[in-house]
Amino acid sequence: MSATSNSTWSRRSLLRAAAGMAAAGSLAACGGNTGRGGGSGSGKNLVQYFHAYGEAGTEQAIKRYAAAYRGARVSTQWITSADFESKLFATLLTKNAPDVFEFHPQIQMVRSGQVADLTDLVAPVKDDFNPADIASHTVDGKTYGVRMIDDPQFFFYRKSMLDKAGVRVPETLDELIEAAARLTTGKVKGLFLGNDLHAVINPMIWSAGADTLNAKNEIAYHTDGVVDGLKKMRSVFTSGDLLLDAPTDYWDPSALNQGLCAIQFCGMWAMPQFQKALGDDWGVFPFPKVTAAGKPSVYNGGWSMFVNAKGENVDAAKEYVKWLWIEQKKYQEDWATSYGFHIPPRTSIAASASKLKTGTPAEGVRLFNEFGHFDNIGWTQAMITALEDVFADCVRKDGSPEAALDKADKAVGRELKKLFG
């Protein structure tokens, strides 16, 4: 599901919290629970952590699933989204640590021994998962975490606004910049990329024909195409056609729904809200290619379930995760499609998800399948921050892209040496 649609929570801030604590060695502290109970099961008491999703009904759904489990008493901590990362990683260091929690794949949590190896849970159904979801949770041949939902991100646009301005759906970054200019009027900006622009960093790299890291875990983003992309991003940032300082960030559909812009970067989770507000007057397209050698890209976010390897009930927690996120397909489909729209990571469930079969949701699935890129578990928060600094230096400011990338190379190189030698 979306990060939220009602807070300032950021996936990047969550990762920053995780990486910072892991780097300091803090995650080596022991945790467990103290018999806190809930639910209607028997045996062990388990606690699971979720951040407060923006979609109505999500908290009730998670608690309903847990209440149906008979192997343990499962209670849910539904944590205010703005506080989720600090609460999760602070609590992981104490005796009140959750047994199960949602997060994103991060190699530091594997290397610190914080998350349990779930290979035995996933192995029997591995072929039913999107292979990229398996790869993004795998370290040294072992799988850590079970993917719950895939969240592709696109550009959403108002069809009527493009038609009125005589603008076709952009297929290149140059065309997107031109469209933003033609769509900007006195009250409406042509384009919204999020308040800090961070959501489009990786898509821009992929659409320039590059990547964050290559298969050998070497720097792959420092290319001529990325330099060209940074220059183009600087031009749109200074054009006056970009919506800046919107009331809510990119994950919330209100910028487009309220007529603040004509094109907005957002996620598939918001499709029901777009449908409710705009009817059929909206569409989606991928991040367009940056250079002739590039191709469109779609970033796939999402959430996964992890077991606290330092808890007192690891085996019981693994059984619960197996029951809910491996065996209970009806709950998995409900979680993916009954609130916001998300793509089930299980291909058999995705194939039967009727709400994603027609219209713009089906187009989103097609773009995801054709152009999707997933998280690299070895791409750490320090590396993320290094590229955020690149955008700060030469998109928000008028610095040299080459100099900014050289600076990033040093920071990323230090991380790669620590992680991979």
Side-chain angles (χ1 to χ4, degrees):
M1 278 148 207
S2 70
T4 66
S5 58
N6 59 3
S7 81
T8 57
W9 183 90
S10 162
R11 177 173 183 271
R12 302 306 187 196
S13 67
L14 197 159
L15 294 177
R16 184 173 290 109
M21 297 186 77
S26 302
L27 292 178
C30 290
N33 71 55
T34 55
R36 298 150 290 155
S40 58
S42 61
K44 297 286 187 179
N45 295 318
L46 301 177
V47 175
Q48 59 180 354
Y49 269 25
F50 281 79
H51 81 280
Y53 288 92
E55 295 90 340
T58 49
E59 180 179 6
Q60 293 81 2
I62 282 295
K63 291 181 177 179
R64 185 173 71 252
Y65 308 155
Y69 184 56
R70 295 292 178 262
R73 292 179 293 273
V74 182
S75 61
T76 302
Q77 293 289 322
W78 193 257
I79 300 167
T80 303
S81 298
D83 301 326
F84 180 70
E85 69 275 18
S86 58
K87 176 71 178 292
L88 172 63
F89 288 100
T91 309
L92 282 173
L93 309 179
T94 73
K95 64 182 180 181
N96 295 318
D99 301 283
V100 177
F101 58 91
E102 65 171 0
F103 195 54
H104 313 280
Q106 276 278 299
I107 197 169
Q108 296 99 323
M109 299 187 74
V110 175
R111 295 287 169 82
S112 68
Q114 185 65 65
V115 293
D117 176 6
L118 303 184
T119 306
D120 57 333
L121 272 62
V122 176
V125 294
K126 181 178 179 180
D127 291 343
D128 191 38
F129 273 89
N130 187 314
D133 276 321
I134 297 295
S136 65
H137 291 70
T138 299
V139 177
D140 297 330
K142 296 180 179 180
T143 304
Y144 298 85
V146 178
R147 193 68 149 185
M148 299 184 294
I149 46 175
D150 285 329
D151 278 336
Q153 299 172 20
F154 324 96
F155 282 108
F156 292 74
Y157 66 96
R158 292 285 298 273
K159 293 179 179 179
S160 60
M161 289 184 177
L162 268 65
D163 289 344
K164 183 177 180 179
V167 172
R168 69 175 189 175
V169 174
E171 296 182 357
T172 67
L173 184 53
D174 287 332
E175 290 180 1
L176 179 62
I177 294 170
E178 180 183 352
R182 294 174 61 184
L183 291 163
T184 297
T185 65
K187 296 182 179 180
V188 179
K189 293 294 185 180
L191 181 64
F192 181 47
L193 301 175
N195 287 328
D196 58 15
L197 309 184
H198 293 166
V200 299
I201 293 174
N202 282 9
M204 190 214 75
I205 290 171
W206 295 320
S207 289
D211 206 340
T212 51
L213 302 174
N214 63 22
K216 296 181 179 180
N217 290 310
E218 300 167 334
I219 289 171
Y221 58 79
H222 195 154
T223 68
D224 290 343
V226 169
V227 170
D228 288 346
L230 290 168
K231 292 177 179 177
K232 292 174 181 179
M233 294 300 293
R234 172 65 180 172
S235 72
V236 73
F237 182 76
T238 59
S239 66
D241 305 321
L242 191 65
L243 176 63
L244 300 170
D245 300 321
T248 55
D249 213 338
Y250 81 99
W251 38 259
D252 188 301
S254 60
L256 191 68
N257 284 350
Q258 295 176 8
L260 302 180
C261 63
I263 301 174
Q264 172 184 349
F265 194 75
C266 194
M268 190 169 184
W269 57 79
M271 284 186 174
Q273 292 170 273
F274 284 122
Q275 287 177 332
K276 183 177 180 180
L278 305 177
D280 294 329
D281 186 23
W282 61 286
V284 295
F285 63 91
F287 197 101
K289 63 181 182 179
V290 173
T291 64
K295 63 181 297 186
S297 68
V298 170
Y299 170 65
N300 178 55
W303 289 88
S304 306
M305 188 53 59
F306 296 88
V307 169
N308 177 13
K310 300 180 185 300
E312 296 176 356
N313 299 311
V314 174
D315 289 341
K318 288 177 64 175
E319 284 300 313
Y320 172 63
V321 170
K322 177 183 177 182
W323 175 82
L324 180 52
W325 299 112
I326 299 294
E327 297 175 351
Q328 300 302 311
K329 287 189 173 185
K330 64 178 181 179
Y331 292 148
Q332 293 163 39
E333 181 171 350
D334 181 67
W335 187 239
T337 63
S338 294
Y339 311 99
F341 283 173
H342 320 268
I343 298 176
R346 300 281 293 275
T347 54
S348 61
I349 301 175
S352 64
S354 59
K355 294 179 181 179
L356 307 181
K357 292 294 187 182
T358 60
T360 308
E363 174 65 5
V365 172
R366 184 189 72 79
L367 295 175
F368 164 84
N369 288 330
E370 186 171 354
F371 302 119
H373 291 261
F374 290 63
D375 284 316
N376 184 327
I377 197 170
W379 186 249
T380 70
Q381 179 56 40
M383 300 177 193
I384 292 169
T385 300
L387 291 191
E388 290 174 353
D389 290 344
V390 169
F391 259 55
D393 290 344
C394 61
V395 175
R396 288 186 170 275
K397 301 176 184 177
D398 195 22
S400 161
E402 282 288 0
L405 289 169
D406 286 342
K407 179 182 175 183
D409 290 350
K410 294 178 181 178
V412 173
R414 287 192 296 268
E415 282 291 288
L416 291 173
K417 186 173 182 180
K418 285 192 296 183
L419 290 170
F420 304 109

